[in-house]
Amino acid sequence: MAFEEEPQPLKIYFIPYLAAGHMIPLVDIAMLFASHGHHTTIITTPSNAKTLPTTPNHHFRVHTFDFPSQEVGLPDGVENLTGSTDLESSWKIYQASVILRNNIEDFVEQNPPDCIVADFLYPWVEDLANKLHIPWLVFNGFSLFAICAMEALKAHPIVDAHPSGSFVIPNFPHHITINSAPPQFSKEFMDPLLTVALRSHGFIINSFAELDGEEYVNYYHKTIGHKAWHLGPASLTRRTNKEKAERGEKSVVSVHECLSWLNSNPPNSVLYISFGTLCYWSDKQLYEIASAIEASGYGFIWVVPEKKGNEEESEEEQEKWLPKGFEERNREKGIIIRGWAPQVLILDNPAVGAFITHCGWNSTVEAVCAGVSMITWPLHSEQYYNEKLITEVRGIGVEVGVAEWRISAYRENEKLVSKDVIEKAVRRLMDGGDEAERIRQCAQEYGKKARQAIQEGGSSHKNLTTLIEELKQLKASKSLQ
Ligand code: UDP
């Protein structure tokens, strides 16, 4: 990434939440400001700091505070939700983020910036910014479409859900039926955070305006009355293979070998399967996925949770989640990655023909950037909304057809999704035909639009320039007071 010098640099602090899906994109967005010559500082903890970009840029700094491991009862080094394996440890990470508040506040007050960009899970930043008379922007890693859906439901709670749990989003630009209703506690947790966010200088969105669409940019601006700044796709700030490979944790497989294997496969012949960083699977469900992949006959890269297939796992244990002999039979056909995969590089490879995804927003935008069509299998959080943007609104994917909003990422689904259902969705995209071709073309067009958005004159580039100008004016008017 090229770096500009800026005669009147802004000083901006970024406070990402301690979860890969929140931290990775916000750090990329901070890099974007740094590349325009503004002084950016990421405020985080030591283990998280190790996952940040190593590209030298004197405008990009990191300030760490020790993670309160002992106070919350977590082993040393577990400082991110990616390292948590159950609801209890994820709650401890959240507790730690609450404990860090005082240290962060003291630091920020003693070294005040011109602006703070903070995750919406830190609503207390509002008071801090007000005290310092500086603007504050929020981020949560969601699509604007999902935020709009949540706002619509805040204003008009669901009263007429179908017995299956599906419901129509009220007073919305499109007629959208969501397959499964959010659990009440999830709404109770999210709604107050979204309300605080409405008092900020705006929501930063890791996407580009064309993907959410003008309807939702206008809906958020006019109906909800708040500003959204589409500055992404964040992943496109990583230009070289090295920068892409370094995004997030360290890959557990050789990036070179993984890419060589992909390069040896014909275009659009490989399925990529990953459900993000927060996902528990029962052995039975993994078995169904494995059976579907094998029955489809396509090549695959399948990312499974780290615990699966580690050296201590006996053959007997392995047979519970993999059909007998699966790995030997598929040695040439595919790769199982047990742990962190170099996702952006995999998606970028022309051999990848479709992505079975949980519709986490980062994964979704990364697939869009690569022009890869998606097979959607949402699990929790805002993923059920993203599914509809992908399939019904933008036409760049097909649904597996799941309809069960998990109570937590660490709980298995009550209903098993069978091999046949998964295989059918895979074939819909991978076997070709008019529908698959239309979806693939549409996905590739959005890929082009994504790249245009960040170039000079593109929508995200213009938004970034406008936002920087606004922040400079706010800084200038403050210095006159
Ligand atoms: N990711 C990755 N390798 C993995 C798992 C995840 O690079 O093995 C990255 C992925 O590219 C994305 C982020 O981690 O940038 C996951 O974010 P997402 O919103 O898709 O899902 P979440 O983990 O928050 O549910």
Side-chain angles (χ1 to χ4, degrees):
M1 180 180 270
F3 301 114
E4 292 172 15
E5 285 306 323
E6 157 67 48
Q8 294 166 304
L10 293 162
K11 181 174 168 188
I12 311 176
Y13 290 168
F14 290 81
I15 320 179
Y17 189 61
L18 310 174
H22 295 229
M23 187 166 298
I24 293 174
L26 191 55
V27 167
D28 282 346
I29 284 164
M31 280 296 259
L32 207 53
F33 281 88
S35 72
H36 283 251
H38 299 284
H39 297 306
T40 60
T41 301
I42 305 285
I43 297 180
T44 189
T45 65
S47 281
N48 284 300
K50 287 187 196 146
T51 67
L52 301 185
T54 55
T55 315
N57 176 352
H58 60 281
H59 299 308
F60 180 82
R61 303 209 176 109
V62 182
H63 190 91
T64 59
F65 290 103
D66 282 344
F67 186 87
S69 306
Q70 283 190 349
E71 280 158 274
V72 296
L74 278 171
D76 283 349
V78 178
E79 301 182 0
N80 189 295
L81 276 190
T82 306
S84 73
T85 47
D86 52 30
L87 196 56
E88 198 190 338
S89 53
S90 71
W91 179 243
K92 287 177 180 173
I93 300 271
Y94 178 73
Q95 286 300 313
S97 77
V98 173
I99 293 172
L100 284 169
R101 171 181 176 174
N102 286 345
N103 284 343
I104 298 176
E105 279 181 336
D106 287 349
F107 169 75
V108 175
E109 281 187 45
Q110 281 161 29
N111 310 275
D114 301 316
C115 171
I116 305 176
V117 181
D119 200 284
F120 87 146
L121 286 163
Y122 302 127
W124 47 266
V125 171
E126 180 185 18
D127 288 344
L128 180 61
N130 287 344
K131 196 168 168 187
L132 297 171
H133 306 288
I134 55 170
W136 136 77
L137 290 134
V138 279
F139 180 76
N140 62 3
F142 295 0
S143 62
L144 185 66
F145 180 85
I147 294 173
C148 288
M150 290 172 168
E151 285 293 347
L153 292 171
K154 241 166 75 183
H156 311 279
I158 310 166
V159 283
D160 52 359
H162 186 265
S164 69
S166 70
F167 67 94
V168 175
I169 306 178
N171 300 10
F172 215 48
H174 288 92
H175 182 87
I176 302 280
T177 304
I178 300 292
N179 293 1
S180 177
Q184 190 53 28
F185 83 85
S186 155
K187 251 184 88 44
E188 283 165 7
F189 182 74
M190 295 281 190
D191 284 0
L193 295 170
L194 288 170
T195 300
V196 174
L198 290 178
R199 298 196 290 266
S200 72
H201 193 74
F203 237 119
I204 288 189
I205 307 292
N206 169 24
S207 186
F208 52 107
E210 293 82 351
L211 183 57
D212 273 310
E214 214 175 278
E215 307 93 319
Y216 295 94
V217 173
N218 287 340
Y219 177 90
Y220 192 66
H221 187 60
K222 299 199 176 122
T223 310
I224 307 300
H226 193 226
K227 177 85 186 150
W229 299 92
H230 283 86
L231 304 184
S235 61
L236 293 181
T237 59
R238 310 272 177 142
R239 299 278 162 86
T240 63
N241 274 10
K242 180 176 175 289
E243 285 170 356
K244 290 178 189 177
E246 275 182 352
R247 204 162 174 258
E249 308 273 317
K250 200 170 170 347
S251 169
V252 295
V253 290
S254 149
V255 173
H256 174 72
E257 280 171 28
C258 184
L259 295 184
S260 302
W261 180 82
L262 279 167
N263 290 339
S264 70
N265 280 277
N268 298 324
S269 65
V270 172
L271 255 180
Y272 175 56
I273 306 144
S274 172
F275 296 90
T277 57
L278 308 170
C279 183
Y280 173 83
W281 288 113
S282 67
D283 286 343
K284 279 187 190 157
Q285 188 59 73
L286 289 170
Y287 194 96
E288 295 299 310
I289 297 173
S291 306
I293 297 171
E294 193 166 24
S296 79
Y298 291 104
F300 63 87
I301 294 188
W302 180 19
V303 187
V304 299
E306 222 161 322
K307 72 177 177 83
K308 293 293 167 198
N310 63 26
E311 272 137 39
E312 291 96 61
E313 193 178 50
S314 67
E315 216 172 288
E316 198 180 310
E317 277 170 320
Q318 199 167 110
E319 273 171 22
K320 288 191 193 146
W321 69 278
L322 275 181
K324 200 171 168 55
F326 180 93
E327 294 214 271
E328 293 83 75
R329 282 195 303 280
N330 292 289
R331 217 167 278 293
E332 305 288 313
K333 253 286 64 137
I335 304 176
I336 295 182
I337 299 183
R338 297 150 158 103
W340 196 266
Q343 176 159 307
V344 169
L345 285 171
I346 293 173
L347 284 169
D348 277 354
N349 194 286
V352 175
F355 176 20
I356 302 190
T357 173
H358 68 313
C359 310
W361 187 245
N362 295 292
S363 295
T364 304
V365 190
E366 290 156 17
V368 169
C369 292
V372 172
S373 41
M374 286 168 264
I375 299 167
T376 59
W377 184 333
L379 303 166
H380 56 84
S381 306
E382 86 297 4
Q383 297 156 10
Y384 272 93
Y385 306 123
N386 295 339
E387 169 174 70
K388 294 295 170 178
L389 179 66
I390 297 167
T391 58
E392 287 180 22
V393 183
R394 296 291 160 240
I396 52 175
V398 297
E399 297 183 15
V400 167
V402 290
E404 188 186 331
W405 197 307
R406 285 189 188 187
I407 293 175
S408 119
Y410 308 96
R411 277 267 192 98
E412 63 187 87
N413 281 35
E414 284 180 14
K415 286 188 212 116
L416 203 64
V417 182
S418 75
K419 170 210 152 226
D420 290 348
V421 167
I422 306 165
E423 187 190 341
K424 194 168 158 207
V426 168
R427 292 198 174 284
R428 236 177 115 184
L429 281 190
M430 294 294 284
D431 282 1
D434 289 350
E435 186 198 32
E437 203 37 52
R438 201 178 53 243
I439 292 173
R440 189 162 281 160
Q441 267 183 16
C442 202
Q444 283 167 358
E445 268 159 37
Y446 273 99
K448 276 192 213 132
K449 289 181 187 166
R451 287 187 291 280
Q452 281 162 2
I454 60 151
Q455 276 158 21
E456 199 152 353
S459 58
S460 291
H461 192 276
K462 278 191 199 150
N463 286 336
L464 181 66
T465 314
T466 311
L467 175 57
I468 288 173
E469 278 315 309
E470 267 191 39
L471 294 177
K472 279 187 185 172
Q473 277 168 20
L474 288 169
K475 179 184 174 180
S477 60
K478 188 184 165 207
S479 65
L480 292 177
Q481 280 166 14

mmCIF file of all heavy atoms in Angstrom, residues 87-115:
data_model
loop_
_atom_site.group_PDB
_atom_site.id
_atom_site.type_symbol
_atom_site.label_atom_id
_atom_site.label_comp_id
_atom_site.label_asym_id
_atom_site.label_seq_id
_atom_site.Cartn_x
_atom_site.Cartn_y
_atom_site.Cartn_z
ATOM 1 N N LEU A 87 -19.219 -20.665 25.891
ATOM 2 C CA LEU A 87 -19.893 -19.416 26.242
ATOM 3 C C LEU A 87 -19.211 -18.751 27.440
ATOM 4 O O LEU A 87 -19.057 -17.528 27.484
ATOM 5 C CB LEU A 87 -21.368 -19.731 26.569
ATOM 6 C CG LEU A 87 -22.325 -18.561 26.585
ATOM 7 C CD1 LEU A 87 -22.298 -17.825 25.260
ATOM 8 C CD2 LEU A 87 -23.744 -19.056 26.873
ATOM 9 N N GLU A 88 -18.763 -19.589 28.375
ATOM 10 C CA GLU A 88 -18.149 -19.041 29.587
ATOM 11 C C GLU A 88 -16.874 -18.249 29.250
ATOM 12 O O GLU A 88 -16.690 -17.118 29.718
ATOM 13 C CB GLU A 88 -17.821 -20.203 30.534
ATOM 14 C CG GLU A 88 -17.597 -19.738 31.950
ATOM 15 C CD GLU A 88 -17.039 -20.850 32.809
ATOM 16 O OE1 GLU A 88 -17.204 -22.030 32.470
ATOM 17 O OE2 GLU A 88 -16.404 -20.495 33.822
ATOM 18 N N SER A 89 -16.020 -18.828 28.412
ATOM 19 C CA SER A 89 -14.769 -18.103 28.109
ATOM 20 C C SER A 89 -15.042 -16.874 27.247
ATOM 21 O O SER A 89 -14.364 -15.862 27.364
ATOM 22 C CB SER A 89 -13.709 -19.010 27.496
ATOM 23 O OG SER A 89 -14.206 -19.692 26.389
ATOM 24 N N SER A 90 -16.085 -16.943 26.394
ATOM 25 C CA SER A 90 -16.384 -15.751 25.581
ATOM 26 C C SER A 90 -16.898 -14.627 26.491
ATOM 27 O O SER A 90 -16.601 -13.459 26.284
ATOM 28 C CB SER A 90 -17.388 -16.072 24.469
ATOM 29 O OG SER A 90 -18.654 -16.284 24.998
ATOM 30 N N TRP A 91 -17.640 -15.006 27.526
ATOM 31 C CA TRP A 91 -18.117 -14.014 28.493
ATOM 32 C C TRP A 91 -16.943 -13.403 29.262
ATOM 33 O O TRP A 91 -16.924 -12.204 29.549
ATOM 34 C CB TRP A 91 -19.129 -14.686 29.434
ATOM 35 C CG TRP A 91 -19.672 -13.780 30.492
ATOM 36 C CD1 TRP A 91 -19.522 -13.923 31.835
ATOM 37 C CD2 TRP A 91 -20.447 -12.587 30.291
ATOM 38 N NE1 TRP A 91 -20.145 -12.891 32.491
ATOM 39 C CE2 TRP A 91 -20.725 -12.055 31.572
ATOM 40 C CE3 TRP A 91 -20.917 -11.925 29.171
ATOM 41 C CZ2 TRP A 91 -21.459 -10.881 31.747
ATOM 42 C CZ3 TRP A 91 -21.654 -10.747 29.355
ATOM 43 C CH2 TRP A 91 -21.914 -10.245 30.622
ATOM 44 N N LYS A 92 -15.926 -14.222 29.533
ATOM 45 C CA LYS A 92 -14.728 -13.714 30.239
ATOM 46 C C LYS A 92 -13.973 -12.701 29.376
ATOM 47 O O LYS A 92 -13.427 -11.731 29.870
ATOM 48 C CB LYS A 92 -13.804 -14.875 30.621
ATOM 49 C CG LYS A 92 -14.358 -15.710 31.770
ATOM 50 C CD LYS A 92 -13.460 -16.878 32.063
ATOM 51 C CE LYS A 92 -14.040 -17.707 33.213
ATOM 52 N NZ LYS A 92 -13.267 -18.945 33.424
ATOM 53 N N ILE A 93 -13.936 -12.961 28.072
ATOM 54 C CA ILE A 93 -13.287 -11.991 27.165
ATOM 55 C C ILE A 93 -14.054 -10.661 27.253
ATOM 56 O O ILE A 93 -13.463 -9.586 27.321
ATOM 57 C CB ILE A 93 -13.290 -12.506 25.700
ATOM 58 C CG1 ILE A 93 -12.545 -13.825 25.560
ATOM 59 C CG2 ILE A 93 -12.798 -11.426 24.721
ATOM 60 C CD1 ILE A 93 -11.073 -13.764 25.280
ATOM 61 N N TYR A 94 -15.380 -10.762 27.257
ATOM 62 C CA TYR A 94 -16.192 -9.542 27.334
ATOM 63 C C TYR A 94 -15.914 -8.813 28.662
ATOM 64 O O TYR A 94 -15.711 -7.597 28.694
ATOM 65 C CB TYR A 94 -17.678 -9.890 27.198
ATOM 66 C CG TYR A 94 -18.578 -8.687 27.322
ATOM 67 C CD1 TYR A 94 -18.636 -7.754 26.283
ATOM 68 C CD2 TYR A 94 -19.317 -8.445 28.479
ATOM 69 C CE1 TYR A 94 -19.425 -6.618 26.389
ATOM 70 C CE2 TYR A 94 -20.098 -7.318 28.595
ATOM 71 C CZ TYR A 94 -20.152 -6.408 27.548
ATOM 72 O OH TYR A 94 -20.925 -5.284 27.661
ATOM 73 N N GLN A 95 -15.868 -9.585 29.762
ATOM 74 C CA GLN A 95 -15.576 -8.999 31.082
ATOM 75 C C GLN A 95 -14.227 -8.272 31.055
ATOM 76 O O GLN A 95 -14.079 -7.187 31.599
ATOM 77 C CB GLN A 95 -15.506 -10.110 32.146
ATOM 78 C CG GLN A 95 -16.845 -10.676 32.541
ATOM 79 C CD GLN A 95 -17.734 -9.590 33.107
ATOM 80 O OE1 GLN A 95 -17.311 -8.813 33.940
ATOM 81 N NE2 GLN A 95 -18.962 -9.497 32.620
ATOM 82 N N ALA A 96 -13.258 -8.900 30.411
ATOM 83 C CA ALA A 96 -11.921 -8.290 30.329
ATOM 84 C C ALA A 96 -12.001 -6.963 29.582
ATOM 85 O O ALA A 96 -11.361 -5.979 29.965
ATOM 86 C CB ALA A 96 -10.955 -9.239 29.620
ATOM 87 N N SER A 97 -12.814 -6.935 28.526
ATOM 88 C CA SER A 97 -12.923 -5.688 27.750
ATOM 89 C C SER A 97 -13.557 -4.589 28.605
ATOM 90 O O SER A 97 -13.241 -3.414 28.449
ATOM 91 C CB SER A 97 -13.712 -5.920 26.455
ATOM 92 O OG SER A 97 -15.096 -5.987 26.716
ATOM 93 N N VAL A 98 -14.417 -4.990 29.542
ATOM 94 C CA VAL A 98 -15.034 -4.007 30.449
ATOM 95 C C VAL A 98 -13.981 -3.491 31.443
ATOM 96 O O VAL A 98 -13.882 -2.291 31.711
ATOM 97 C CB VAL A 98 -16.246 -4.650 31.191
ATOM 98 C CG1 VAL A 98 -16.795 -3.717 32.259
ATOM 99 C CG2 VAL A 98 -17.339 -5.045 30.197
ATOM 100 N N ILE A 99 -13.156 -4.426 31.931
ATOM 101 C CA ILE A 99 -12.115 -4.047 32.899
ATOM 102 C C ILE A 99 -11.097 -3.077 32.261
ATOM 103 O O ILE A 99 -10.577 -2.178 32.912
ATOM 104 C CB ILE A 99 -11.394 -5.321 33.436
ATOM 105 C CG1 ILE A 99 -12.378 -6.143 34.279
ATOM 106 C CG2 ILE A 99 -10.139 -4.975 34.249
ATOM 107 C CD1 ILE A 99 -11.865 -7.503 34.711
ATOM 108 N N LEU A 100 -10.838 -3.272 30.971
ATOM 109 C CA LEU A 100 -9.834 -2.436 30.288
ATOM 110 C C LEU A 100 -10.267 -0.976 30.154
ATOM 111 O O LEU A 100 -9.457 -0.097 29.852
ATOM 112 C CB LEU A 100 -9.545 -3.010 28.887
ATOM 113 C CG LEU A 100 -8.667 -4.253 28.845
ATOM 114 C CD1 LEU A 100 -8.682 -4.867 27.449
ATOM 115 C CD2 LEU A 100 -7.234 -3.921 29.249
ATOM 116 N N ARG A 101 -11.555 -0.730 30.348
ATOM 117 C CA ARG A 101 -12.098 0.617 30.124
ATOM 118 C C ARG A 101 -11.300 1.711 30.842
ATOM 119 O O ARG A 101 -10.925 2.707 30.238
ATOM 120 C CB ARG A 101 -13.568 0.638 30.570
ATOM 121 C CG ARG A 101 -14.132 2.025 30.571
ATOM 122 C CD ARG A 101 -15.567 2.050 31.022
ATOM 123 N NE ARG A 101 -16.035 3.419 31.089
ATOM 124 C CZ ARG A 101 -17.274 3.768 31.332
ATOM 125 N NH1 ARG A 101 -18.189 2.845 31.526
ATOM 126 N NH2 ARG A 101 -17.623 5.030 31.389
ATOM 127 N N ASN A 102 -11.031 1.529 32.157
ATOM 128 C CA ASN A 102 -10.371 2.603 32.920
ATOM 129 C C ASN A 102 -9.004 2.957 32.357
ATOM 130 O O ASN A 102 -8.667 4.126 32.195
ATOM 131 C CB ASN A 102 -10.206 2.206 34.395
ATOM 132 C CG ASN A 102 -11.522 2.270 35.117
ATOM 133 O OD1 ASN A 102 -12.476 2.871 34.603
ATOM 134 N ND2 ASN A 102 -11.608 1.631 36.279
ATOM 135 N N ASN A 103 -8.234 1.909 32.022
ATOM 136 C CA ASN A 103 -6.896 2.158 31.457
ATOM 137 C C ASN A 103 -6.998 2.917 30.142
ATOM 138 O O ASN A 103 -6.235 3.850 29.891
ATOM 139 C CB ASN A 103 -6.173 0.831 31.183
ATOM 140 C CG ASN A 103 -5.663 0.213 32.457
ATOM 141 O OD1 ASN A 103 -5.571 0.882 33.472
ATOM 142 N ND2 ASN A 103 -5.350 -1.068 32.409
ATOM 143 N N ILE A 104 -7.938 2.483 29.319
ATOM 144 C CA ILE A 104 -8.066 3.129 27.999
ATOM 145 C C ILE A 104 -8.478 4.589 28.196
ATOM 146 O O ILE A 104 -7.918 5.498 27.577
ATOM 147 C CB ILE A 104 -9.069 2.370 27.093
ATOM 148 C CG1 ILE A 104 -8.576 0.946 26.824
ATOM 149 C CG2 ILE A 104 -9.281 3.111 25.774
ATOM 150 C CD1 ILE A 104 -9.518 0.054 26.025
ATOM 151 N N GLU A 105 -9.453 4.806 29.077
ATOM 152 C CA GLU A 105 -9.919 6.185 29.300
ATOM 153 C C GLU A 105 -8.776 7.077 29.779
ATOM 154 O O GLU A 105 -8.611 8.195 29.287
ATOM 155 C CB GLU A 105 -11.058 6.193 30.327
ATOM 156 C CG GLU A 105 -12.389 5.837 29.697
ATOM 157 C CD GLU A 105 -13.533 5.873 30.702
ATOM 158 O OE1 GLU A 105 -13.282 5.731 31.923
ATOM 159 O OE2 GLU A 105 -14.674 6.027 30.251
ATOM 160 N N ASP A 106 -7.979 6.585 30.731
ATOM 161 C CA ASP A 106 -6.869 7.406 31.252
ATOM 162 C C ASP A 106 -5.900 7.768 30.131
ATOM 163 O O ASP A 106 -5.488 8.911 29.988
ATOM 164 C CB ASP A 106 -6.088 6.644 32.346
ATOM 165 C CG ASP A 106 -6.893 6.565 33.627
ATOM 166 O OD1 ASP A 106 -7.931 7.266 33.708
ATOM 167 O OD2 ASP A 106 -6.508 5.785 34.522
ATOM 168 N N PHE A 107 -5.564 6.764 29.331
ATOM 169 C CA PHE A 107 -4.613 6.995 28.236
ATOM 170 C C PHE A 107 -5.171 8.030 27.253
ATOM 171 O O PHE A 107 -4.476 8.973 26.863
ATOM 172 C CB PHE A 107 -4.323 5.665 27.518
ATOM 173 C CG PHE A 107 -3.581 5.835 26.226
ATOM 174 C CD1 PHE A 107 -2.218 6.136 26.206
ATOM 175 C CD2 PHE A 107 -4.249 5.716 25.003
ATOM 176 C CE1 PHE A 107 -1.543 6.306 24.998
ATOM 177 C CE2 PHE A 107 -3.579 5.885 23.796
ATOM 178 C CZ PHE A 107 -2.219 6.186 23.797
ATOM 179 N N VAL A 108 -6.439 7.845 26.870
ATOM 180 C CA VAL A 108 -7.021 8.736 25.857
ATOM 181 C C VAL A 108 -7.128 10.168 26.412
ATOM 182 O O VAL A 108 -6.824 11.142 25.717
ATOM 183 C CB VAL A 108 -8.404 8.208 25.383
ATOM 184 C CG1 VAL A 108 -9.066 9.177 24.419
ATOM 185 C CG2 VAL A 108 -8.252 6.841 24.728
ATOM 186 N N GLU A 109 -7.495 10.292 27.687
ATOM 187 C CA GLU A 109 -7.618 11.640 28.264
ATOM 188 C C GLU A 109 -6.264 12.345 28.338
ATOM 189 O O GLU A 109 -6.162 13.551 28.134
ATOM 190 C CB GLU A 109 -8.241 11.553 29.655
ATOM 191 C CG GLU A 109 -9.751 11.387 29.569
ATOM 192 C CD GLU A 109 -10.419 11.462 30.922
ATOM 193 O OE1 GLU A 109 -10.081 12.358 31.719
ATOM 194 O OE2 GLU A 109 -11.283 10.603 31.176
ATOM 195 N N GLN A 110 -5.232 11.570 28.634
ATOM 196 C CA GLN A 110 -3.912 12.185 28.746
ATOM 197 C C GLN A 110 -3.279 12.503 27.386
ATOM 198 O O GLN A 110 -2.422 13.356 27.284
ATOM 199 C CB GLN A 110 -2.969 11.275 29.549
ATOM 200 C CG GLN A 110 -3.235 11.395 31.042
ATOM 201 C CD GLN A 110 -2.671 10.223 31.809
ATOM 202 O OE1 GLN A 110 -1.692 9.624 31.388
ATOM 203 N NE2 GLN A 110 -3.298 9.896 32.932
ATOM 204 N N ASN A 111 -3.709 11.757 26.367
ATOM 205 C CA ASN A 111 -3.160 11.962 24.999
ATOM 206 C C ASN A 111 -4.323 12.100 24.027
ATOM 207 O O ASN A 111 -4.557 11.220 23.202
ATOM 208 C CB ASN A 111 -2.323 10.748 24.575
ATOM 209 C CG ASN A 111 -1.315 10.350 25.633
ATOM 210 O OD1 ASN A 111 -0.234 10.892 25.680
ATOM 211 N ND2 ASN A 111 -1.694 9.424 26.492
ATOM 212 N N PRO A 112 -5.103 13.158 24.127
ATOM 213 C CA PRO A 112 -6.354 13.183 23.356
ATOM 214 C C PRO A 112 -6.154 13.206 21.840
ATOM 215 O O PRO A 112 -5.277 13.910 21.346
ATOM 216 C CB PRO A 112 -7.039 14.473 23.822
ATOM 217 C CG PRO A 112 -6.031 15.235 24.572
ATOM 218 C CD PRO A 112 -4.903 14.343 24.941
ATOM 219 N N PRO A 113 -6.948 12.409 21.137
ATOM 220 C CA PRO A 113 -6.888 12.397 19.671
ATOM 221 C C PRO A 113 -7.899 13.397 19.092
ATOM 222 O O PRO A 113 -8.608 14.079 19.852
ATOM 223 C CB PRO A 113 -7.316 10.977 19.338
ATOM 224 C CG PRO A 113 -8.301 10.646 20.429
ATOM 225 C CD PRO A 113 -7.902 11.417 21.649
ATOM 226 N N ASP A 114 -7.996 13.434 17.746
ATOM 227 C CA ASP A 114 -9.005 14.281 17.096
ATOM 228 C C ASP A 114 -10.306 13.516 16.892
ATOM 229 O O ASP A 114 -11.344 14.108 16.601
ATOM 230 C CB ASP A 114 -8.493 14.747 15.725
ATOM 231 C CG ASP A 114 -7.200 15.533 15.863
ATOM 232 O OD1 ASP A 114 -7.143 16.371 16.781
ATOM 233 O OD2 ASP A 114 -6.256 15.282 15.095
ATOM 234 N N CYS A 115 -10.227 12.198 16.999
ATOM 235 C CA CYS A 115 -11.428 11.380 16.763
ATOM 236 C C CYS A 115 -11.174 9.975 17.308
ATOM 237 O O CYS A 115 -10.026 9.511 17.332
ATOM 238 C CB CYS A 115 -11.665 11.310 15.241
ATOM 239 S SG CYS A 115 -12.945 10.155 14.750
#
